[in-house]
């Protein structure tokens, strides 16, 4: 029973314990809150639901991303936020990286380093390597720390050749060095004036000089679901609902992981596209959510 | 009759009209000329052979690359050099890009812009965009010239986010905009102290934010062979010989394009590896040249 317009909220809500919300296009658009969202979140909490807010944005830590919610008047705890910066730290924790005594080299912004600090994993690179230049004169080289055991790559507006060469040397020359990507998003929304080259840009650059594919920790990798299901002891994943505005990421991600899915039309997908009255965007063909809503406000009963 | 050690030079030379030489590891190693090379080139010319020197290096134009030859005492004409910077210009000429009245956006160094100047194709970006920063403040954006009809990407030690965003906008938003890569080399030899992230890094970054695969003009794309065969009216490609030190690039390239192939052991491939007495490097399995030599000096008769 796919693509059912949610008219009776209980039909979805009654069977769900955990809601995972994509943020942009679902809770807000750029700097504008989508009407009714605070009320909906209040109601879900009052009904005993557990809420997560997921973003592939790796430039902020969970604590840093919380200020985005606060600025829009949404009261959310850092623990409810699942950023891809946190996902990288959670992955390294799950795989007991700390026991290796190794360090992480970061291509990315402070969200990643802040999350690594919180789990006590030593790191280098990141913001400190903005503006660095490699010595390319005769006999010149970039010296790498031989204790690097993983390279984490996320969106980095200060990407430069020094960082790419550092990552190349770690991944090509240090045995066992892991390659971790926070996300593979082609474009991102730095400003509302245009789309911007996303974290997939920096990750691909590192693939391009190493021939290696990364371990992906952000959407659409299943890591987040595994983490949440394990932490909350959820064995029936159909009691988790993914709510998003994108068919090819949010809804595909939910369906691939056995979750219930709900598309909101408040973002990039139109009802005509969802219902195949106009051609689908490339990559979204055949992907159907169980339910859809105009905005999250449809989670509230009409009465 | 593969992997035959060339003991009687005439066995190879008599059947060949055009020799295509890879440079590093064949003519020189870093800044050191391989012994006997000037004599060999003189002899081949005296015998009426046509010579080409091919490099995936896009940072120099053919005229600029000539100085490398001159500094080692090799007398070579710019027209004999087939750099990937020239290949990009040659491709745009062959496809009549100039007739579109469009411009090229360059991620890369001055080799590309110099070659475009020589064929009269207008361009922007390149060295001029080193150090540029995108306005990422509220409402900020990067303005692109709507007359860009192709993005050419090569090795660029001044790669930055501004350039990547510019290329992203051109390729994702300007209808029909072409994506051209000079080369996909993972690593390159900027200094002899270590391997360096190569042109494949910058090309992959642009693929990562566009989801597009480039048209490749450097090795191992067939463009160079098509160009040479057409220009010299060669219908029997087995009268062209590719001479190189790498099995996975030079020799594979020659074989895939119907050329004779000759491996020289003066570069990265050892005789033990060639003869499968030790395991082959990844990606070189099963690739066999018709002939091999210790150095180009074996092209001269023992007498």
């Amino acid at each position: 029973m796919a693509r059912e317009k949610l008219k009776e909220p209980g039909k979805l809500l009654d069977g769900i314990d955990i809601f995972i919300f994509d943020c942009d296009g679902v809770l807000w658009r750029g700097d504008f809150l989508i009407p009714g969202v605070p009320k909906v979140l209040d109601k879900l909490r009052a009904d005993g639901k557990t809420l997560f807010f997921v973003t592939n944005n790796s430039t902020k830590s969970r604590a840093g991303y919380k200020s985005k919610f606060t600025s829009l008047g949404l009261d959310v705890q850092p623990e409810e936020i699942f950023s891809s910066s946190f996902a990288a730290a959670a992955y390294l924790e799950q795989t007991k990286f700390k026991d290796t005594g190794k360090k992480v080299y970061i291509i990315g912004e402070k969200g990643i380093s802040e999350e690594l600090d919180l789990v006590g994993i030593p790191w280098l690179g990141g913001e400190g390597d903005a503006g660095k230049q490699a010595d390319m004169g005769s006999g010149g080289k970039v010296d790498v720390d031989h204790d690097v055991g993983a390279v984490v790559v996320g969106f980095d507006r200060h990407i430069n050749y020094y960082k790419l060469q550092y990552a190349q040397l770690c991944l090509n020359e240090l045995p066992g060095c892991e390659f971790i990507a926070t996300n593979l998003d082609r474009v991102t929304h730095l400003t509302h004036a245009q789309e911007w080259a996303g974290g997939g840009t920096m990750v691909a650059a590192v693939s391009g000089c190493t021939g290696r594919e990364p371990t992906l920790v952000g959407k659409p990798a299943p890591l987040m679901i595994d983490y949440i299901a394990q932490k909350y002891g959820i064995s029936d994943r159909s009691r988790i609902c993914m709510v998003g505005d994108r068919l090819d990421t949010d809804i595909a991600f939910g369906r691939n992981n056995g979750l219930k899915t709900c598309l909101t039309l408040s973002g990039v997908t139109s009802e005509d596209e969802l219902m195949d009255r106009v051609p689908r965007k490339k990559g979204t063909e055949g992907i159907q959510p169980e339910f859809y809503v105009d905005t999250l406000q449809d989670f509230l009963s009409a009465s």
Side-chain angles (χ1 to χ4, degrees), chain A:
Chain A
M1 211 193 318
R3 294 193 297 186
E4 178 183 341
K5 182 137 193 186
L6 188 68
K7 291 193 173 147
E8 179 49 65
K11 204 165 171 187
L12 170 63
L13 274 53
D14 292 349
I16 300 297
D17 300 320
I18 296 178
F19 282 93
I20 300 175
F21 293 100
D22 178 45
C23 297
D24 198 40
V26 179
L27 308 180
W28 59 68
R29 290 187 77 152
D31 288 332
F32 302 96
L33 191 67
I34 288 169
V37 164
K39 237 183 181 169
V40 171
L41 301 185
D42 284 349
K43 178 196 157 40
L44 293 174
R45 285 207 174 93
D47 290 349
K49 314 294 187 192
T50 298
L51 310 183
F52 286 102
F53 304 94
V54 58
T55 171
N56 266 355
N57 189 325
S58 68
T59 64
K60 296 185 175 78
S61 61
R62 287 173 298 167
Y65 207 61
K66 174 173 160 44
S67 65
K68 169 85 184 179
F69 288 83
T70 305
S71 74
L72 292 169
L74 295 174
D75 187 24
V76 157
Q77 297 310 307
E79 296 73 30
E80 294 177 312
I81 299 172
F82 212 104
S83 63
S84 66
S85 54
F86 169 66
Y91 169 80
L92 290 167
E93 249 204 323
Q94 277 186 334
T95 56
K96 304 202 185 305
F97 182 81
K98 224 176 354 182
D99 297 352
T100 66
K102 298 273 189 182
K103 303 169 189 170
V104 168
Y105 183 73
I106 299 172
I107 291 184
E109 305 195 357
K110 69 179 174 190
I112 299 169
S113 51
E114 286 178 2
E115 291 292 349
L116 291 180
D117 282 342
L118 287 173
V119 293
I121 291 175
W123 57 270
L124 59 165
E127 294 211 303
D129 283 355
K132 273 203 190 164
Q133 295 203 327
D135 174 8
M136 290 176 263
S138 179
K141 60 180 173 148
V142 168
D143 283 312
V144 303
D145 185 324
H146 285 69
D147 284 334
V148 171
V151 175
V152 173
V153 183
F155 177 81
D156 189 336
R157 75 194 75 200
H158 299 294
I159 188 70
N160 62 34
Y161 186 68
Y162 176 90
K163 296 182 188 185
L164 293 167
Q165 169 64 357
Y166 201 108
Q168 184 271 122
L169 291 168
C170 291
L171 291 168
N172 281 342
E173 301 189 1
L174 301 181
C177 187
E178 277 193 88
F179 176 18
I180 297 161
T182 61
N183 72 86
L184 303 177
D185 297 359
R186 286 178 192 166
V187 293
T188 186
H189 299 97
L190 290 183
T191 74
H192 54 78
Q194 61 188 191
E195 292 198 311
W196 293 79
T201 316
M202 295 80 203
V203 174
V206 174
S207 284
C209 54
T210 61
R212 290 179 59 172
E213 292 301 318
T215 299
L216 175 66
V217 296
K219 285 188 292 181
L223 176 84
M224 174 177 60
I225 301 302
D226 296 343
Y227 182 92
I228 290 172
Q230 192 187 335
K231 188 160 173 180
Y232 289 84
I234 303 280
S235 54
D236 178 5
R237 292 185 176 203
S238 71
R239 296 195 64 83
I240 305 175
C241 179
M242 178 74 210
V243 184
D245 69 321
R246 289 179 186 267
L247 290 163
D248 55 345
T249 55
D250 304 318
I251 302 305
F253 168 67
R255 298 213 67 139
N256 291 342
N257 286 286
L259 315 185
K260 277 270 182 335
T261 55
C262 181
L263 182 88
T264 171
L265 300 174
S266 54
V268 300
T269 309
S270 70
E271 188 166 12
D272 279 347
E273 201 185 347
L274 173 66
M275 302 311 282
D276 292 301
R277 294 191 289 249
V278 298
R280 288 274 183 105
K281 283 193 209 79
K282 207 181 147 207
T284 69
E285 303 90 345
I287 301 171
Q288 318 290 19
E290 272 96 351
F291 294 98
Y292 74 99
V293 293
D294 288 324
T295 74
L296 282 202
Q297 206 147 17
D298 295 351
F299 277 22
L300 303 173
S301 298
S303 61

